[in-house]
């Protein structure tokens, strides 16, 4: 059962998230919220993604951690705007943190906004950040049963990245079983197996990303009109 205070915090978060979502809608930015355990490879995955974006693509990254700017330093090497959000203790990002950092960029139009949440499979699940979709990152070093143990995030995610498949020869992990568990929780979840180290599977991921961006533009009837208004007023 959700405690009344927690309910109030979440509904305030939902209100701010709705504002973030409508601003991102106006500029047509596809926003994805990456959630996974510490060390699953979220930053490594985003680093390789930035390297592979076609030239002329605009993208930005917000990366969340409890402490340090380490991930922002890694991600900024790839030539895209990056901001670190250090929560100072909170185990998740919230919509207010995202909103204040997006104001630093004046809610500028990007093709993609990638948000790396604080490493955790539980707390970030409840906090809407105004994203278009959640992506759960699981690595083969974590055990196949994580979808059954942490069903909330697997239920809400539209995509599961199964990372570190280069380690499969060395760890007792059955990818088919992990996928079966994830689909038991969420029959619609799309799954991509990849290695951020070797680049295996990134062709599928980059194709998914491009399709998702086109689908968002296609299904956002407000985008063109709203964009014209913000461009010409
Ligand atoms: N072998 C292997 N190691 C990886 C892969 N992706 C990330 N790593 C390593 O896993 C560790 C944690 O990665 P990091 O990106 O910091 O994870 P995060 O905490 O989820 O952001 C680092 O030592 C990475 O080099 C992968 O696909 N294969
Ligand atoms: Mg990281």
């Amino acid at each position: 059962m959700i405690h009344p205070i927690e309910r109030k915090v979440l509904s305030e978060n939902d209100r701010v998230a709705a504002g973030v979502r409508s601003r991102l809608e106006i500029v047509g930015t596809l926003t994805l919220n990456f959630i996974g355990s510490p060390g699953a490879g979220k930053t490594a995955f985003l680093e390789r993604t930035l390297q592979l974006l076609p030239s002329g693509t605009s993208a930005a990254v917000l990366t969340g951690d409890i402490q340090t700017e380490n991930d922002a330093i890694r991600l900024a090497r790839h030539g895209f705007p990056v901001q670190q959000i250090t929560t100072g203790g909170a185990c998740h990002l919230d919509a207010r943190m995202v909103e204040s950092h997006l104001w630093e960029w004046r809610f500028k139009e990007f093709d993609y906004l990638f948000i790396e949440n604080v490493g955790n499979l539980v707390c970030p699940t409840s906090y809407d950040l105004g994203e278009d979709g959640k992506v759960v990152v699981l690595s083969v070093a974590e055990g196949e049963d994580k979808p059954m143990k942490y069903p909330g995030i697997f239920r809400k995610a539209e995509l599961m990245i199964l990372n570190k498949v280069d380690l499969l020869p060395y760890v007792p992990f059955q990818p088919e079983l992990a996928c079966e568990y994830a689909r038991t929780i969420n029959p619609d979840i799309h799954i991509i197996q990849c290695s951020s180290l070797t680049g295996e599977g990134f062709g599928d991921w980059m194709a998914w990303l491009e399709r998702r961006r086109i689908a968002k533009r296609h299904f956002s009837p407000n985008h063109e009109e709203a964009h014209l208004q913000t461009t010409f007023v």
Side-chain angles (χ1 to χ4, degrees), residues 37-44 74 116 163-164 166-167 195-197:
S37 308
K42 300 177 295 300
T43 310
R74 284 167 62 187
E116 178 185 347
N163 191 34
K164 307 197 188 184
D166 58 288
L167 296 180
S195 165
S196 303
L197 186 69

Side-chain angles (χ1 to χ4, degrees), residues 176-218:
E176 312 75 35
L177 193 55
C179 296
E180 187 187 318
Y181 287 149
R183 291 198 178 101
T184 301
I185 300 298
N186 177 357
D188 296 327
I189 199 164
H190 189 75
I191 300 174
I192 296 175
Q193 300 190 27
C194 69
S195 165
S196 303
L197 186 69
T198 66
E200 181 182 345
F202 271 72
D204 288 348
W205 154 241
M206 298 308 289
W208 183 94
L209 191 59
E210 171 69 359
R211 280 199 308 277
R212 185 66 178 81
R213 186 175 70 85
I214 291 167
K216 176 186 163 104
R217 297 229 164 181
H218 191 68

Side-chain angles (χ1 to χ4, degrees), residues 37-44 46 63-65 70-72 74-75 84 116-117 119:
S37 308
K42 300 177 295 300
T43 310
L46 288 174
T63 181
D65 270 304
N70 292 358
D71 284 2
R74 284 167 62 187
L75 290 155
Q84 180 81 46
E116 178 185 347
N117 219 309

Side-chain angles (χ1 to χ4, degrees), residues 1-232:
M1 205 188 91
I2 300 182
H3 191 278
I5 293 177
E6 197 185 347
R7 195 189 306 278
K8 199 169 167 213
V9 169
L10 285 174
S11 76
E12 167 61 8
N13 183 76
D14 284 350
R15 193 186 61 74
V16 178
V20 170
R21 181 170 287 109
S22 67
R23 286 196 166 271
L24 290 168
E25 193 68 29
I26 287 170
V27 291
T29 297
L30 176 68
T31 302
L32 297 173
N33 179 5
F34 289 78
I35 296 173
S37 308
K42 300 177 295 300
T43 310
F45 180 81
L46 288 174
E47 283 191 81
R48 190 170 278 275
T49 301
L50 295 178
Q51 283 167 17
L52 293 174
L53 286 174
S55 72
T57 306
S58 60
V61 188
L62 294 177
T63 181
D65 270 304
I66 290 175
Q67 292 294 350
T68 85
E69 300 264 328
N70 292 358
D71 284 2
I73 293 166
R74 284 167 62 187
L75 290 155
R77 291 192 300 232
H78 304 283
F80 293 91
V82 176
Q83 291 187 63
Q84 180 81 46
I85 306 178
T86 35
T87 66
C91 55
H92 58 84
L93 296 179
D94 64 35
R96 184 73 70 193
M97 297 172 192
V98 169
E99 182 189 46
S100 65
H101 284 78
L102 288 179
W103 274 119
E104 298 276 320
W105 289 321
R106 301 283 175 267
F107 274 89
K108 180 173 180 284
E109 174 178 349
F110 297 108
D111 294 324
Y112 300 107
L113 172 66
F114 302 118
I115 304 176
E116 178 185 347
N117 219 309
V118 178
N120 189 323
L121 281 171
V122 184
C123 314
T125 309
S126 308
Y127 285 80
D128 183 8
L129 304 180
E131 73 272 2
D132 292 293
K134 291 180 175 40
V135 178
V136 61
V137 181
L138 177 69
S139 77
V140 305
E142 292 170 64
E144 300 94 344
D145 59 352
K146 292 303 165 293
M148 305 306 269
K149 285 188 174 171
Y150 304 96
I153 181 53
F154 290 87
R155 196 170 292 125
K156 286 192 176 176
E158 63 181 270
L159 174 66
M160 172 174 121
I161 295 296
L162 183 57
N163 191 34
K164 307 197 188 184
V165 293
D166 58 288
L167 296 180
L168 282 173
Y170 314 105
V171 290
F173 182 95
Q174 297 172 258
E176 312 75 35
L177 193 55
C179 296
E180 187 187 318
Y181 287 149
R183 291 198 178 101
T184 301
I185 300 298
N186 177 357
D188 296 327
I189 199 164
H190 189 75
I191 300 174
I192 296 175
Q193 300 190 27
C194 69
S195 165
S196 303
L197 186 69
T198 66
E200 181 182 345
F202 271 72
D204 288 348
W205 154 241
M206 298 308 289
W208 183 94
L209 191 59
E210 171 69 359
R211 280 199 308 277
R212 185 66 178 81
R213 186 175 70 85
I214 291 167
K216 176 186 163 104
R217 297 229 164 181
H218 191 68
F219 290 114
S220 296
N222 296 336
H223 168 59
E224 292 304 334
E225 195 183 332
H227 184 66
L228 283 174
Q229 282 171 11
T230 50
T231 309
F232 295 115

